[in-house]
Amino acid sequence: MPIRRRSASSTTLRASGPHSSDTCALSLKWVFMLMLDLGGHRNFIQRHHFNDDEIAAELGLQELVDADDFSPALALRRLKRERLVFDLAFPVVGYPDRLQANVQALGQLIGLDAIEQRILAFCVLLHTDPCLNDASDQLGALGFNRTMRVLSTLLDIPQQDVSPYLANEGRLARAGLIEVNARSCTVSTLSSRLVIESSDFLQQLRFSHGQPIELFKYAFRLSPLGHLSEKDYHHLGRSIEIATIYLKKALAEGRRGVNILLYGPPGTGKTQLSRLLARLLGASLYEIACTDSDGDPVSAHQRLCALRSAMSALQTQKALLLLDEIEDIFDTSPLPFSSKSKTQKGWINRMLEENSLPCFWLSNDIECLDNAYIRRFDVVIELPNPPKSQREQIVRECSGDRLGAALVEKLIEHQEMTPAVIARAARIARSLHPRAGKRLDATVECLVDATLKAQGFEQLGRQKAQQLPSFYSPSLINADIPLDGLIDGLRKHPEARLCFYGPPGTGKTAFGHWLARELKKPLMVQRVSDLVSPYVGTTEQNLARAFEKASEEQAVLLLDEVDSFLQDRKKATQSWEVTAVNEMLTQMESYRGLFIASTNLMRDLDAASLRRFDLKIHFGFLKPLQIQTLFYAHLQTLKLKDPAKTSGLRLSREANLTPGDFALVARRARFKPFASAEELAQALLAESRLKMPVQRPIGFVH
């Protein structure tokens, strides 16, 4: 759509007819040429009226608009006469407003010659002067060759010279200034053939009074300095070192086609890493705009045009470019049968191979990128959520080490906690409560919890339910092998694969917690619901990420209900069931840490998985002595007594009690306290008898 801008004055340019202040003399000259020299009058002058009354008024034909005796011949004669009057009144016409100065300054900045500047200025007026835009439509649908002839006539340029300037290899196209729509068959007016994507750019060229580089403020901006350092990215290993050395050489040698892909969940520090690398290299970092001057998002095509403009405008600077949230750029198939997607894909591939300035490409979702794109990136760096040690460092730095120990522990224990969430919450909380204290802690926790909830993650402190009781001991587990020496063995040989199997509640997960605590390693518990996906291939990807994340955290990985991933492949009915097992076996084989699998259904496991476990431990129901020990430990915690020992003795004769039963009734006591030891025993007996098989009578029941 043309930009309709009305100037402050409404000077009449010709006495022979009214003239809008929206139209400049140069535009009007081209309107006369469109009508008379290029044949636009054939569509403009109809049998009984003008095709466009506003254009007629601009051309001095107002008195004929409402004439009852309208004559096409008379209208044509008047049109020719008005042109003669105009030529006498304006023997020389120039560019309006600041257009000429801005186009010349832009030409010096990116290397446009006089003809390229003339073409660009025409396109600006074409899209900002309504009269010129509407008059060009009177030519009707234009093919590419006729478009070149029209430009040749209007701009007084030999026709054979016009095409090279508007070719894809021309500077106007390479700089992202003008795009020639050469393939369109349905929309093919002059203004739709010569496209300038950004309306902000049109405004800047015609009216701006700033420096030449400011003409592109719609397209890119200088990135602010980052606040993170190399030590904040210690978990990335050698990736930063490699990227720094490579970019340093690329800048020194002026290499083309240098691209760095940074991907990972939102808030993991991708933008900050780009700023850090720019600072280490002593280079300026410019961010390609995602929104226009009104704050509205721009299209993927506009962003690519802006990228081209940045490369042209900054070619003499020591600069790096950054494109954030690139998912829309690489989504080239919104229309299944559209040729545009193929064109854009080819354009992107070529840009990745030939871009003149090094670029950072940031993505929150690597799945959106085709492998054909990924292989064209020189350096690919994944930014996962930082490990626990890094999270602690980030929390203390962002908060100025002013948060209480309890809150710090909550923050660093949350596996989905990202630097951006911590930094934003700490910044807001410190602005409200400059001093350390309960109010600061409460504000940070409230802000973080709200963000985590909105992201679909568990809130802080939800892992408390998994903490072990103070009286926990491996001696309270009825295992088929002694557990006493296991911890010493794992300290000497930390790489191991263990399988815990047995009835529910027998303490498999709790023992995993105890092992991690004794080994002084974080525990990462993954359940079926965390990993299984209905989409093909996603379950396998989730499994791979779980093992990778555990490796980064140097954590003990406990996979609960492992039978869902290691079921016997002979019983599989779907192909994905087999691939999930294969992926699980592969990850188990390659994992260089302590992996614990727990299951209630040992018989359902694939035979190949059983060979991969270094140790298989059966967890059974509690023995009488263990029952009594647990019972009296809970009595002490609940401040209850059993002086005669009758409740404990009677309970010890039960065969189906588990540590999980004790944990369950202990939780119940929080909201419905037990009045006596006998009442506690009865509750445990009830839980035990729920597991007893139902005896069905033989014969008929009356």
Side-chain angles (χ1 to χ4, degrees), residues 223-234:
S223 181
L225 294 175
H227 58 267
L228 298 183
S229 63
E230 290 177 87
K231 63 181 180 182
D232 296 310
Y233 293 98
H234 181 71

Side-chain angles (χ1 to χ4, degrees), residues 555-569:
V556 176
L557 177 60
L558 194 156
L559 189 57
D560 204 4
E561 301 174 0
V562 76
D563 46 276
S564 299
F565 303 105
L566 291 177
Q567 63 178 327
D568 193 342
R569 285 171 289 186

Side-chain angles (χ1 to χ4, degrees), residues 270-315:
K270 298 183 290 294
T271 301
Q272 289 294 326
L273 177 57
S274 303
R275 295 170 180 174
L276 171 62
L277 291 172
R279 187 171 77 242
L280 294 175
L281 294 165
S284 301
L285 180 67
Y286 290 87
E287 299 180 11
I288 305 301
C290 298
T291 58
D292 59 18
S293 58
D294 296 326
D296 297 322
V298 298
S299 68
H301 191 72
Q302 287 176 305
R303 294 179 68 194
L304 289 173
C305 288
L307 177 61
R308 286 185 163 188
S309 298
M311 290 180 183
S312 297
L314 303 171
Q315 58 187 333

Side-chain angles (χ1 to χ4, degrees), residues 27-40 83 139 150 152-156:
S27 293
L28 196 58
K29 174 185 177 181
W30 285 332
V31 172
F32 277 115
M33 295 178 71
L34 287 167
M35 294 300 174
L36 296 172
D37 300 343
L38 293 166
R83 182 187 187 171
L139 299 180
V150 169
S152 171
T153 302
L154 295 177
L155 303 180
D156 193 22

Side-chain angles (χ1 to χ4, degrees), residues 56-244:
E58 297 287 346
L59 295 173
L61 307 176
Q62 180 66 49
E63 65 184 54
L64 300 181
V65 170
D66 299 319
D68 294 332
D69 55 347
F70 183 88
S71 169
L74 176 61
L76 181 59
R77 288 196 300 271
R78 285 288 304 271
L79 177 61
K80 292 178 179 179
R81 191 184 75 178
E82 290 295 330
R83 182 187 187 171
L84 293 175
V85 173
F86 174 84
D87 290 341
L88 290 173
F90 297 93
V92 179
V93 290
Y95 294 102
D97 309 302
R98 291 277 303 170
L99 182 58
Q100 183 171 358
N102 287 334
V103 169
Q104 288 178 345
L106 179 63
Q108 293 178 357
L109 178 66
I110 66 175
L112 300 179
D113 63 23
I115 294 179
E116 288 166 331
Q117 293 178 32
R118 201 184 312 173
I119 294 173
L120 179 60
F122 169 77
C123 289
V124 172
L125 288 179
L126 178 65
H127 290 280
T128 57
D129 258 342
C131 184
L132 178 59
N133 190 284
D134 294 342
S136 68
D137 290 347
Q138 300 301 315
L139 299 180
L142 302 177
F144 180 77
N145 290 333
R146 192 181 176 201
T147 299
M148 297 300 103
R149 185 166 67 84
V150 169
L151 286 176
S152 171
T153 302
L154 295 177
L155 303 180
D156 193 22
I157 304 171
Q159 185 172 342
Q160 63 270 21
D161 294 341
V162 178
S163 296
Y165 284 111
L166 292 174
N168 290 332
E169 299 299 325
R171 280 188 290 261
L172 291 171
R174 289 206 315 270
L177 304 179
I178 299 175
E179 182 182 4
V180 180
N181 185 4
R183 298 184 178 184
S184 175
C185 297
T186 56
V187 182
S188 52
T189 60
L190 184 62
S191 60
S192 63
R193 287 285 184 193
L194 305 173
V195 180
I196 296 180
E197 287 287 344
S198 174
S199 59
D200 289 331
F201 182 54
L202 293 169
Q203 291 276 23
Q204 290 295 319
L205 270 179
R206 183 159 179 178
F207 303 108
S208 175
H209 289 266
Q211 297 296 317
I213 195 71
E214 294 179 5
L215 295 170
F216 293 105
K217 64 182 181 181
Y218 73 94
F220 56 85
R221 66 181 181 93
L222 186 64
S223 181
L225 294 175
H227 58 267
L228 298 183
S229 63
E230 290 177 87
K231 63 181 180 182
D232 296 310
Y233 293 98
H234 181 71
H235 58 289
L236 299 183
R238 294 193 62 226
S239 297
I240 293 181
E241 179 186 357
I242 294 172
T244 304

Side-chain angles (χ1 to χ4, degrees), residues 644-660:
K645 308 292 183 181
T646 55
S647 298
L649 287 171
R650 184 158 57 90
L651 196 64
S652 65
R653 292 192 287 269
E654 288 295 315
N656 297 320
L657 278 173
T658 68

Side-chain angles (χ1 to χ4, degrees), residues 334-401:
L335 299 174
F337 303 102
S338 175
S339 62
K340 185 178 180 180
S341 63
K342 297 180 180 179
T343 303
Q344 184 171 322
K345 188 172 183 178
W347 187 16
I348 295 172
N349 286 337
R350 190 168 182 177
M351 179 169 290
L352 289 173
E353 295 171 352
E354 300 179 359
N355 58 301
S356 56
L357 292 176
C359 296
F360 294 106
W361 302 76
L362 278 54
S363 175
N364 298 329
D365 183 13
I366 193 66
E367 301 297 331
C368 74
L369 270 68
D370 190 273
N371 287 336
Y373 294 134
I374 296 177
R375 69 177 180 84
R376 287 177 165 82
F377 290 101
D378 304 298
V379 181
V380 178
I381 303 176
E382 181 184 10
L383 277 82
N385 289 340
K388 184 177 178 179
S389 59
Q390 291 292 108
R391 294 198 295 271
E392 182 174 3
Q393 179 179 309
I394 293 169
V395 168
R396 297 193 182 281
E397 288 182 354
C398 292
S399 64
D401 211 10

